[in-house]
Amino acid sequence: MGKSQIRIGLLGFGTVGSAFVELLETQKSSIFSKTGLELVVTHVAVNDLTKDRSGLNAQTLLTNKPNEVIENTEVDLVVELMGGLLPAKDLVEAALENSKPVITANKELLSKEGRHLFTLAGVRKVDLLFEAAVAGGIPLIRVLRESLLGEPVEKIMGIVNGTTNYILSQMEEKSMPYSEALLEAQNLGYAESDPTADVSGQDAASKAAIIAMVAFGADVSLDDVPFEGIENISSADVAFAKRAGCAIKLLAMVSKYENELEVQVYPAMLPNSHPLSSVRDSFNAVFVEGAAVDSLMLFGRGAGGMPTASAVLGDVIDAAVNLSNRTYRDIGDLTEVPLIQGDEQKSAYYVSVQVIDEPGVLATVASVFAKHDISIQTMEQEGMDREARLVFITHEVEENRLEGALSELSNLSCVEKLGTVIRVLEA
Ligand code: NAP
Ligand code: HSE
């Protein structure tokens, strides 16, 4: 057994970093009585030394030079909660090179540099833990790495971005405009410092890549994951989905088909009977299907300071116990797996088209679908002063065939504007 005091160097004291320090303070004695370890945050690095840091006690050393935290021999373990690729990558790399365990919530970093950093942690025989990087407070990574280690996992489908789920819920429940809902999500501490990563689907794509690494041992990086976001989803789309008994959700899909993987992110209309459709607000949920376990779902807060801090603290305790027992756990080898190209996948689609309201227009638009051998399930027309909004739900069609029809539709003189195109999934 090694030392009983573990000194933590914290990089970042923003939404998650400050919540982590607050949570650790309240749980310190309980952690000591359960593990015999005293966890102390001794060093904190931030950008701006002039900001109020009243959450820190007087003994904590505050610096704006994060390298000093990494290199300090008094720091046993590093918690990276700065976010972004650089300088986080260099700092995490340096900590691991110094044989210090690292806990991070940084999905961008892991989805771009995961393979390299996991290899380095393995070489140095230290933990690199990242529960908070996917689905906030939900202990998904631990379940995949431990409880489901022997499970032949087939599919993981998740709402893994709290900001977008919050926005979509507010649009649906309160008819709130998109921009107002985004502002609220930012004020509540859910969004990334640049919320484009959330609304474009990139943040969820990073999480999908990490899920693919952990669940399938696949060497997948963010660049491999096609993603679509929610920026183009309008109030009319949300209202249509509600009338049709569906909810629009941003989904991360990681599925295994024989030796290939599908890893992608897109918004989809889910019928109300699907367990993921009732996940509201900043909550996340991850639905796992496996050959033995059948179906299971994990649910919890996907964003916000305290829920994320809870996941970080769980990892810190794990790493501290491992450090004290002079052990660690690595993620295992990542291997290259062929990825299915999204455009070969079949789905039903919601397609909205804004047209001039004149005789023959509906027939012209419908003929384009027919020409591309796309069958229509339902069609609805909404009048709007000399214009009309046509909404089609197609039967299942490959994405590339639909693309062909959309491109032809956009060239028709009667089409004012192609609206949103959203996959429609079954329960
Ligand atoms: P945040 O509120 O923007 O805080 C970032 C912190 O890092 C700030 O304290 C900032 O300093 C510090 N920092 C940034 N660049 C720095 C640099 N070059 N040197 C020293 N300090 C630097 O971010 P957050 O929301 O806490 O997110 C932190 C990480 O957790 C990100 O990877 C994010 O993706 C992840 N995450 C966040 C959530 C969430 O709900 N917020 C959930 C899950 C995961 P100043 O205080 O001086 O500005
Ligand atoms: N911005 C992220 C979200 C934070 O909204 O889900 C949690 O990773």
Side-chain angles (χ1 to χ4, degrees):
M1 186 81 176
K3 48 177 124 189
S4 62
Q5 188 187 65
I6 304 290
R7 294 159 303 184
I8 298 166
L10 175 61
L11 310 180
F13 193 71
T15 305
V16 184
S18 57
F20 167 70
V21 169
E22 190 185 333
L23 182 63
L24 176 57
E25 242 359 89
T26 63
Q27 295 306 107
K28 216 172 212 167
S29 61
S30 155
I31 295 167
F32 181 75
S33 66
K34 288 174 186 161
T35 64
L37 295 174
E38 189 195 353
L39 305 185
V40 196
V41 176
T42 53
H43 298 70
V44 174
V46 293
N47 228 347
D48 180 353
L49 288 175
T50 65
K51 281 190 195 168
D52 173 36
R53 309 289 176 182
S54 47
L56 289 179
N57 65 39
Q59 287 76 48
T60 311
L61 287 162
L62 191 65
T63 173
N64 60 1
K65 298 188 177 64
N67 268 311
E68 287 181 359
V69 175
I70 305 294
E71 286 155 16
N72 197 307
T73 52
E74 286 180 10
V75 168
D76 300 309
L77 180 154
V78 172
V79 178
E80 185 277 304
L81 298 174
M82 287 169 34
L85 188 60
L86 288 173
K89 174 184 172 249
D90 296 340
L91 294 164
V92 168
E93 211 169 52
L96 295 172
E97 288 286 10
N98 278 302
S99 299
K100 293 184 187 191
V102 174
I103 284 79
T104 180
N106 192 332
K107 49 271 161 139
E108 185 184 354
L109 173 66
L110 292 178
S111 66
K112 290 180 176 166
E113 295 292 337
R115 184 183 184 151
H116 160 65
L117 295 173
F118 291 129
T119 305
L120 181 56
V123 169
R124 294 291 166 193
K125 298 190 182 341
V126 289
D127 280 317
L128 170 56
L129 302 181
F130 51 95
E131 185 64 77
V134 184
I138 302 178
L140 171 69
I141 301 300
R142 201 166 269 101
V143 166
L144 292 174
R145 288 181 79 174
E146 296 177 14
S147 322
L148 297 179
L149 190 61
E151 174 66 34
V153 175
E154 292 167 344
K155 180 174 182 176
I156 299 174
M157 174 178 178
I159 295 171
V160 294
N161 183 273
T163 302
T164 46
N165 206 47
Y166 182 83
I167 294 171
L168 291 170
S169 301
Q170 297 299 90
M171 287 173 79
E172 186 192 322
E173 288 163 15
K174 300 185 184 159
S175 303
M176 191 181 278
Y178 172 94
S179 52
E180 196 181 319
L182 171 58
L183 199 62
E184 277 197 0
Q186 287 177 280
N187 291 338
L188 288 163
Y190 301 153
E192 298 303 301
S193 50
D194 176 2
T196 316
D198 294 294
V199 297
S200 69
Q202 186 190 302
D203 177 84
S206 287
K207 292 164 179 169
I210 297 171
I211 290 172
M213 289 185 218
V214 178
F216 296 103
D219 181 13
V220 175
S221 82
L222 175 62
D223 286 344
D224 301 318
V225 185
F227 60 86
E228 294 163 37
I230 66 160
E231 306 107 309
N232 297 324
I233 290 179
S234 66
S235 308
D237 302 326
V238 173
F240 177 91
K242 199 172 174 178
R243 282 200 307 279
C246 293
I248 300 177
K249 297 289 171 194
L250 184 68
L251 298 178
M253 305 289 284
V254 184
S255 308
K256 190 166 195 254
Y257 298 94
E258 297 182 356
N259 296 323
E260 292 181 309
L261 271 190
E262 174 200 356
V263 189
Q264 55 177 333
V265 169
Y266 48 73
M269 280 192 196
L270 278 180
N272 291 340
S273 52
H274 194 288
L276 288 176
S277 76
S278 57
V279 177
R280 331 295 291 177
D281 203 83
S282 70
F283 283 99
N284 281 190
V286 182
F287 194 75
V288 182
E289 290 175 25
V293 74
D294 199 347
S295 303
L296 66 89
M297 190 159 107
L298 300 162
F299 172 86
R301 284 276 177 206
M306 272 299 164
T308 310
S310 165
V312 173
L313 183 55
D315 275 352
V316 167
I317 297 169
D318 254 11
V321 169
N322 282 346
L323 192 62
S324 137
N325 292 331
R326 298 199 174 86
T327 182
Y328 77 105
R329 177 135 182 233
D330 75 11
I331 191 173
D333 290 336
L334 297 178
T335 52
E336 278 193 27
V337 178
L339 297 177
I340 294 178
Q341 296 309 307
D343 59 4
E344 295 160 13
Q345 296 287 88
K346 275 189 166 185
S347 174
Y349 283 90
Y350 159 96
V351 179
S352 79
V353 191
Q354 207 166 303
V355 293
I356 304 168
D357 198 0
E358 279 177 4
V361 166
L362 176 57
T364 308
V365 170
S367 72
V368 173
F369 285 111
K371 184 177 159 195
H372 289 264
D373 201 17
I374 297 170
S375 171
I376 305 297
Q377 275 189 58
T378 63
M379 185 267 155
E380 192 179 276
Q381 173 166 346
E382 234 174 60
M384 319 185 298
D385 185 29
R386 303 190 59 229
E387 280 183 5
R389 183 172 174 268
L390 305 179
V391 177
F392 298 89
I393 304 283
T394 72
H395 281 288
E396 285 207 326
V397 52
E398 296 85 359
E399 190 180 336
N400 48 12
R401 199 141 50 88
L402 183 76
E403 295 281 345
L406 294 177
S407 135
E408 198 169 327
L409 279 177
S410 64
N411 289 326
L412 292 178
S413 58
C414 61
V415 171
E416 295 274 293
K417 195 175 136 210
L418 264 189
T420 329
V421 177
I422 307 173
R423 285 171 182 77
V424 180
L425 303 190
E426 287 176 0

